[in-house]
Amino acid sequence: MRKLGIQHESWPIAGSFTISRGSKTSAEVVVVTLEEDGTVGRGECVPYARYGETVDGVLRALETARPRIEAGLGRDGVPEVLEPRAARNALDCALWDLEAKKAGKPVWELLGMVAPQPLVTAYTLSLDTVEAMGAAARKSAHRPLLKVKLGRGSTEDLERLRAIRAGAPSSRLIVDANEGWKPEELPTLLAACAELGVVMVEQPLPASADEALRGLNRPVAVCADESAHDRHGLAELIGKYDAINIKLDKTGGLTEALALAQEARGHGLQLMVGCMVATSLAMAPAALVAQGAEVVDLDGPLLLAKDREPGIHFEGNTLFWPPRELWG
């Protein structure tokens, strides 16, 4: 018999995490455990309010699916019992972990992949005042890749970006506007980003207004985040975006994330693999998808006051494949 465990956990953030839509001081995650014949598989997800998700809603969805899950549901049956995004992600990743541990082989080997290599991840600077973000950039100037949260308007954001570039003159920069810019601002903002050496801009416009990107001169690669979920919406992104940000909480798990990555490559899109603020348990499966991605943004554990043990080992911005006790 298989036993399903569902647990809500709260992990304090080091300080606060602020984007254009608001701030939070903790990462609220849901962990799924699957125990079968003495072996336990785990997966972690983050319910995201942007998509109408709540912790209680994810817990209810998993509880409703309990009979099918405990009856031995396989990965191919997961879409029958759970909608895409957070709840499905936790279950899908737990099933992969369970299979790997029962087989005595890592997930990457089950997938026919080569052994995962270390990854250089971005480190995120939360949205703040110009002065505070400049100071944060100086403190993180040793990091090779910084992700900058913007989205409060062209004049303020340009001041922030210039202060960050001055504070971290050698770091590669990614800008994430979290849907906070307006179409009429884009030419000026993208030109400034190119001038300041930004390598990618994430989701500058609301998903509902991103048609304005089609045909626009883009001197910096523009990456879909809130506009990109799984393969079903991929065709709508072609011509508007140069890259997509794949997050397992959006795709509904590792299985769909890998399929989305392959199909996106077929359309000539660059890949960014990102995360919600969460523990190493959520980062581990995403690190498989991130192998070979142009941009990796799996810094969730670095933003927490503490991570779970055992967790992923980081050396500066470099992420190493996690211990088998954690996942996979």
Side-chain angles (χ1 to χ4, degrees), residues 292-304:
E294 279 80 7
V295 176
V296 178
D297 179 27
L298 298 177
D299 64 343
L302 297 177
L303 304 176
L304 298 176

Side-chain angles (χ1 to χ4, degrees), residues 103-296:
K105 297 180 179 181
V107 171
W108 59 263
E109 190 172 325
L110 295 178
L111 286 164
M113 298 174 64
V114 299
Q117 299 300 303
L119 299 167
V120 175
T121 178
Y123 181 81
T124 303
L125 303 183
S126 287
L127 181 61
D128 209 326
T129 64
V130 172
E131 295 75 18
M133 293 191 79
R138 289 191 294 274
K139 186 177 179 180
S140 298
H142 63 287
R143 297 186 182 274
L145 181 60
L146 297 176
K147 177 172 173 173
V148 181
K149 292 289 188 178
L150 299 178
R152 291 281 173 83
S154 58
T155 302
E156 289 184 50
D157 279 351
L158 285 176
E159 291 178 6
R160 291 184 179 93
L161 191 54
R162 291 189 179 106
I164 289 160
R165 175 47 82 202
S170 300
S171 302
R172 295 169 65 221
L173 299 180
I174 307 163
V175 164
D176 187 359
N178 283 115
E179 304 181 279
W181 290 349
K182 298 175 182 178
E184 60 270 23
E185 298 175 324
L186 277 184
T188 298
L189 287 166
L190 291 180
C193 285
E195 178 186 345
L196 292 168
V198 173
V199 298
M200 185 174 284
V201 174
E202 270 189 87
Q203 198 67 41
L205 300 178
S208 60
D210 67 359
E211 190 62 30
L213 291 168
R214 195 180 300 279
L216 181 73
N217 178 44
R218 300 189 293 269
V220 177
V222 176
C223 179
D225 184 359
E226 286 85 352
S227 289
H229 302 103
D230 54 23
R231 285 173 293 170
H232 293 101
L234 186 59
E236 298 176 10
L237 307 180
I238 308 305
K240 295 190 289 188
Y241 293 96
D242 308 292
I244 61 168
N245 188 348
I246 299 175
K247 294 178 180 175
L248 273 63
D249 279 315
K250 295 189 300 177
T251 65
L254 176 62
T255 303
E256 175 62 23
L258 290 168
L260 174 59
Q262 182 177 8
E263 193 163 319
R265 284 291 195 200
H267 285 286
L269 292 169
Q270 297 180 43
L271 298 185
M272 177 179 186
V273 176
C275 64
M276 309 302 182
V277 182
T279 79
S280 284
L281 180 57
M283 304 303 119
L288 284 179
V289 188
Q291 298 294 313
E294 279 80 7
V295 176
V296 178

Side-chain angles (χ1 to χ4, degrees), residues 14-31:
S16 64
F17 183 78
T18 302
I19 65 174
S20 61
R21 285 189 291 270
S23 299
K24 61 181 182 179
T25 57
S26 65
E28 303 301 318
V29 310
V30 174
V31 176

